[in-house]
Amino acid sequence: MSIVRGMNWCVKQLGGSVGMATKLRFCSRMMSTSGGSPSSSPFVLFLTGPDRTGIVAGMTKKVSEHGGNVEASRMTRLAGDFSLIALMTLEKEKLPGLTDALKAELPDFIINTRSVERSVAEAEKAAESGAKLTKYELTLDGPDSVGIIASTTEALARSGVSIMDMETELSTAPFA
């Protein structure tokens, strides 16, 4: 499916529905062509608040209006709240204006930004020239107990494992 000229998107229906909304997963891969303006700096944007339609559209519109570029992002919905973390590039002097615009667009959201050392393009370039990382996917299923995530992640940290992505959920299971 092509929504924006020159970009390929896929939409997967995950089945079932919640209320009147059908669950959909959107995936896209964008190729970096310029790495942003030479005067742009990388920032991480965090925002969280009550879920509703149009949050991402509003956020990305404000970033674009301020000359910024979203390079990578992760979003999720938990218990009716929406959370987003995004790596973006933007001219430093435009960050206060963008933050104010986002707070006006999403007044019931907590919004924070922080400067980071490098953009996605810079991180990929460093990874190509540096040591290769070995990536693993670990899946654990078992009965829930207080502290299970803490003890698992502590064991991984003691072994020198850095967690890149993590999802947890509580569900009914045959062993419960």
Side-chain angles (χ1 to χ4, degrees), residues 121-174:
E122 292 166 331
E124 287 176 355
K125 186 176 181 180
E128 288 173 7
S129 64
K132 296 288 182 186
L133 293 176
T134 303
K135 295 181 182 180
Y136 297 94
E137 182 175 306
L138 173 65
T139 303
L140 301 172
D141 291 313
D144 186 37
S145 62
V146 173
I148 192 167
I149 296 170
S151 61
T152 303
T153 55
E154 286 170 5
L156 292 169
R158 281 192 305 275
S159 299
V161 174
S162 179
I163 299 171
M164 295 177 65
D165 290 303
M166 182 170 161
E167 289 183 31
T168 63
E169 71 177 33
L170 186 63
S171 62
T172 56

Side-chain angles (χ1 to χ4, degrees), residues 45 47 52-66 68 70 75 82 84 88 97-107 109 111:
L45 167 69
L47 62 85
R52 63 173 172 74
T53 301
I55 297 166
V56 177
M59 181 277 292
T60 54
K61 181 178 180 185
K62 295 301 178 192
V63 171
S64 295
E65 288 173 352
H66 286 80
V70 176
M75 300 161 226
F82 176 84
L84 172 141
M88 62 180 183
L98 172 61
T99 303
D100 290 344
L102 288 171
K103 288 180 178 179
E105 175 79 17
L106 303 165
F109 273 62
I111 300 171

